[in-house]
Amino acid sequence: MSENRNCDESLVGSSTPDEIGNVDGLMSLSFREDEVSKKIKGLDTNKGAGPDSIPPIFVKRCRFVLSLPLTIFYNRSLKDGVFPEVWKRSRVVPVYKKGDIADVKNCRPICILSCFSKLFESVLYPVIFKCLDGYIDEQHGFRKGRSIQTNLMSFVTETCQELDRGRQIDAVYTDFSNAFDKVSHALLIQKLRGYGMGENLLNWFKSYLRNRPQSVVVGGAESTPYIARSGVPLGSHLGPLLFLLFVNDVRNHIKHCKAALFADDLKINKVINTVCDAALVQSDLNGIQHWCFLNGLILNINKCFHIKHTRKKNPLVTVYKLDSAPLKEVQEIRDLGVIIDKKLTFTSQVNKVVTTSTQMLGFLKRNAGCFGCTTKTILYNALVRSHVEFGSIIWNPLYAIHSQRVESIQRSFTRHLAFISRGFSHRHPYHQRLKKFNMLSLYNRRILAGVTFLHKLLNNHIQSSDLLQEIKFVVPYSFPRFKINNIFQIPSAKTNLGVQAPLVRILRDFNKLNSAYPELDIFGSGLIGFRESIVGCLSRT
């Protein structure tokens, strides 16, 4: 992690969250032996040893001997507010992200830590997260029940509905330069105090963050150890949580726009009716920039973009600035791996999916000639279909020609399987090939993914109050004589874009399935049983 000069002491606390008070569970912590033993049992034995050369498999096999002394040691560490110095040592492995592979700035520094250190963090993490989860509601990264899908589902559904009403939505995407590496330790401790942590736990975190020796390992060669003066350790359990708590109060500086965070990826959006609305967006951008100044972070203006989502022929002209420099306006942008264009047609996303998947399918055909159908299907699912289905409930094709282009990938693969199968011609129709190889069409798999997402949302496996508020039920005015199969109310729409808004489309798909198969129970069935029922229904269509 790179060093960063700490903020001026006069700024420490000026951007900390509002005082929450003493949060139950954060004043004093202690663990039981069975809790530590359970965490040891869950260790991944495939992981390697840390700087202390003790592998997880050794700790796991000695679970019954180590659980009690480790419990005593962990509790004493929390009580005294001291994190062991020997567990602070880490080896940093650079992991390539994107861009020029020769540029070290395009690598993410992942810390290889001691097994005992990570075990300690894994015991402490759920307690702190449970106490503070309600204060980071806009955050979708590193949280149970949140994901890329929840982030994009809320944004794209709302944007589709606003465009259906003929409105213009301006979205601004910001980028923080090396945000994880530039977290000020002094300011982070002040923010943790604002969240209601007790002094013992605060002292423990001070000890945890202070004087962490690191050395970079590349190609088996190890650098001279150095001390990280700022940042949170990537590769740890507590590092991502500490970062979420550090950046969470940026929302206090966003007064007029809707904001969505995924770790350090922040986007804001607002419906633009007049130039006054654009001025409010600029005001929030100024607030974000001021927050960055208070927290010692830097906005990479070259990677901050502005996009107008609209179907108007003459949209309202708006210009947004950071540091007096105008932001570049783009026609499409890559948002968490999904390419979103200004009209939400997802044409570029479909082109990317088809191109990448076709290349991977060609690679599979050329290099897996000696394998049988079962092995090739496994490779197809891992190498090809994973590309096709990433974020598919968001970018589900609007047009039939796009859907056919995507489906052609699996058509080609099933034809290849049929060609190498005995007693089955590759000239059989597509639906017969799917039945032969026990596969669903990609179209039906997108329906399955969407309805499964809806089940998780309604049964609290996915936590998103914004999406739940958009779901309306059909309520009869009198006692119905027959069972109501269309249980979800579908909002009216003027355009195909409003009809195909992600959440609206999922609700409609379930209503159709429930009308054809009334035995489906989205509320009473478990996830596995419900998914199997949907697969059975789709296999018969």
Side-chain angles (χ1 to χ4, degrees):
M1 291 184 290
S2 64
E3 295 186 9
N4 182 51
R5 183 177 56 85
N6 288 337
C7 297
D8 187 88
E9 292 299 326
S10 62
L11 299 179
V12 173
S14 58
S15 64
T16 56
D18 297 335
E19 292 293 332
I20 295 172
N22 295 334
V23 178
D24 293 339
L26 295 183
M27 297 307 295
S28 61
L29 295 177
S30 62
F31 306 111
R32 301 189 307 272
E33 181 183 354
D34 61 307
E35 294 175 326
V36 177
S37 179
K38 184 179 179 179
K39 290 296 182 181
I40 297 177
K41 186 178 180 181
L43 287 174
D44 186 357
T45 56
N46 294 321
K47 297 291 181 65
D52 56 4
S53 301
I54 301 177
I57 189 171
F58 170 82
V59 180
K60 188 171 184 176
R61 290 184 176 181
C62 299
R63 172 166 60 100
F64 297 106
V65 179
L66 292 175
S67 57
L68 178 58
L70 283 176
T71 303
I72 296 172
F73 194 90
Y74 291 164
N75 287 335
R76 183 60 184 270
S77 174
L78 290 171
K79 181 180 179 181
D80 294 344
V82 177
F83 187 77
E85 295 289 335
V86 69
W87 289 351
K88 295 182 184 181
R89 290 188 294 127
S90 63
R91 294 197 297 263
V92 176
V93 178
V95 176
Y96 172 69
K97 294 187 293 184
K98 60 182 179 179
D100 183 6
I101 194 172
D103 189 352
V104 69
K105 295 181 180 179
N106 294 324
C107 294
R108 181 178 288 109
I110 302 300
C111 296
I112 307 300
L113 303 169
S114 164
C115 178
F116 292 118
S117 173
K118 295 190 69 173
L119 181 65
F120 194 177
E121 294 183 36
S122 69
V123 178
L124 183 61
Y125 174 87
V127 179
I128 299 177
F129 184 85
K130 183 178 180 180
C131 294
L132 299 178
D133 184 38
Y135 301 108
I136 51 177
D137 194 54
E138 284 83 2
Q139 180 63 250
H140 292 259
F142 304 118
R143 292 185 61 195
K144 184 179 181 181
R146 296 289 184 90
S147 64
I148 289 174
Q149 290 184 339
T150 58
N151 184 299
L152 293 178
M153 179 68 72
S154 299
F155 173 71
V156 175
T157 297
E158 178 191 6
T159 306
C160 284
Q161 292 174 336
E162 294 296 346
L163 264 60
D164 180 71
R165 300 183 184 107
R167 297 175 180 173
Q168 172 182 330
I169 286 188
D170 283 9
V172 178
Y173 291 76
T174 63
D175 181 83
F176 299 108
S177 298
N178 301 320
F180 283 85
D181 301 338
K182 294 183 178 179
V183 172
S184 166
H185 294 165
L187 187 53
L188 175 58
I189 294 300
Q190 290 294 328
K191 294 189 178 190
L192 295 180
R193 178 175 284 109
Y195 284 111
M197 288 190 180
E199 286 301 320
N200 285 347
L201 190 55
L202 284 174
N203 290 332
W204 187 89
F205 273 112
K206 289 179 184 177
S207 177
Y208 172 83
L209 294 168
R210 185 176 56 242
N211 297 331
R212 297 185 69 93
Q214 300 178 344
S215 57
V216 180
V217 178
V218 178
E222 187 169 352
S223 70
T224 303
Y226 65 95
I227 301 296
R229 303 297 180 185
S230 65
V232 293
L234 290 175
S236 65
H237 292 280
L238 291 177
L241 176 58
L242 291 175
F243 181 80
L244 298 189
L245 296 175
F246 182 82
V247 302
N248 184 54
D249 60 328
V250 68
R251 60 182 182 159
N252 298 335
H253 296 255
I254 303 173
K255 307 291 185 181
H256 312 289
C257 299
K258 290 189 176 180
L261 278 159
F262 191 91
D264 60 337
D265 292 325
L266 170 65
K267 63 173 172 277
I268 61 174
N269 65 90
K270 183 174 176 59
V271 176
I272 304 297
N273 295 316
T274 65
V275 291
C276 294
D277 294 323
L280 294 177
V281 176
Q282 182 61 57
S283 175
D284 281 350
L285 282 175
N286 296 338
I288 294 172
Q289 194 166 9
H290 181 62
W291 177 87
C292 290
F293 170 74
L294 295 177
N295 289 270
L297 297 183
I298 300 174
L299 282 173
N300 188 345
I301 300 178
N302 294 327
K303 295 184 179 180
C304 295
F305 301 103
H306 156 225
I307 183 170
K308 291 184 178 70
H309 294 292
T310 181
R311 298 168 69 91
K312 295 179 179 179
K313 293 183 179 179
N314 298 308
L316 185 67
V317 177
T318 55
V319 177
Y320 302 111
K321 297 180 179 181
L322 286 172
D323 272 342
S324 301
L327 296 182
K328 181 180 179 181
E329 182 178 345
V330 295
Q331 302 300 309
E332 61 185 31
I333 192 167
R334 185 182 179 94
D335 187 356
L336 301 178
V338 176
I339 301 175
I340 300 178
D341 58 274
K342 61 181 297 184
K343 294 186 178 181
L344 295 181
T345 61
F346 294 105
T347 302
S348 296
Q349 174 67 19
V350 172
N351 292 337
K352 187 199 76 169
V353 166
V354 172
T355 300
T356 304
S357 302
T358 302
Q359 292 173 348
M360 292 304 299
L361 181 58
F363 172 82
L364 188 154
K365 290 179 179 180
R366 291 192 302 271
N367 295 277
C370 60
F371 297 126
C373 290
T374 302
T375 303
K376 286 189 176 182
T377 302
I378 294 173
L379 291 173
Y380 166 78
N381 294 340
L383 300 177
V384 182
R385 201 171 71 187
S386 59
H387 287 286
V388 177
E389 296 186 341
F390 176 80
S392 61
I393 64 173
I394 308 298
W395 57 265
N396 189 75
L398 290 176
Y399 306 115
I401 188 172
H402 290 167
S403 181
Q404 293 168 5
R405 289 184 63 205
V406 174
E407 199 69 48
S408 67
I409 298 166
Q410 188 159 281
R411 287 178 180 272
S412 176
F413 177 69
T414 54
R415 192 179 298 111
H416 174 73
L417 288 183
F419 189 80
I420 63 174
S421 299
R422 294 181 179 179
F424 189 79
S425 174
H426 65 281
R427 294 187 176 88
H428 278 90
Y430 181 46
H431 69 275
Q432 292 185 13
R433 300 201 300 269
L434 291 175
K435 186 176 181 180
K436 165 69 176 178
F437 301 113
N438 194 28
M439 299 172 70
L440 289 176
S441 66
L442 294 179
Y443 174 82
N444 283 339
R445 283 192 61 84
R446 290 195 295 273
I447 295 177
L448 173 64
V451 176
T452 302
F453 179 89
L454 181 62
H455 180 279
K456 292 180 180 179
L457 180 63
L458 294 175
N459 290 276
N460 205 35
H461 298 294
I462 291 176
Q463 300 175 9
S464 179
S465 57
D466 292 340
L467 292 175
L468 285 174
Q469 290 175 1
E470 296 297 322
I471 298 177
K472 305 293 190 297
F473 294 92
V474 175
V475 180
Y477 291 101
S478 59
F479 189 80
R481 298 177 61 185
F482 305 99
K483 180 182 177 182
I484 300 176
N485 293 324
N486 293 330
I487 62 175
F488 296 111
Q489 181 179 341
I490 307 301
S492 59
K494 300 177 182 178
T495 64
N496 284 334
L497 192 60
V499 171
Q500 296 297 327
L503 186 59
V504 176
R505 183 190 68 248
I506 290 172
L507 296 175
R508 186 184 300 105
D509 288 341
F510 179 79
N511 278 349
K512 289 180 180 179
L513 285 171
N514 199 34
S515 297
Y517 306 98
E519 69 274 10
L520 292 176
D521 186 0
I522 196 170
F523 298 102
S525 302
L527 178 60
I528 296 178
F530 177 78
R531 185 179 173 86
E532 291 176 349
S533 299
I534 296 297
V535 170
C537 295
L538 293 174
S539 299
R540 297 195 291 270
T541 58

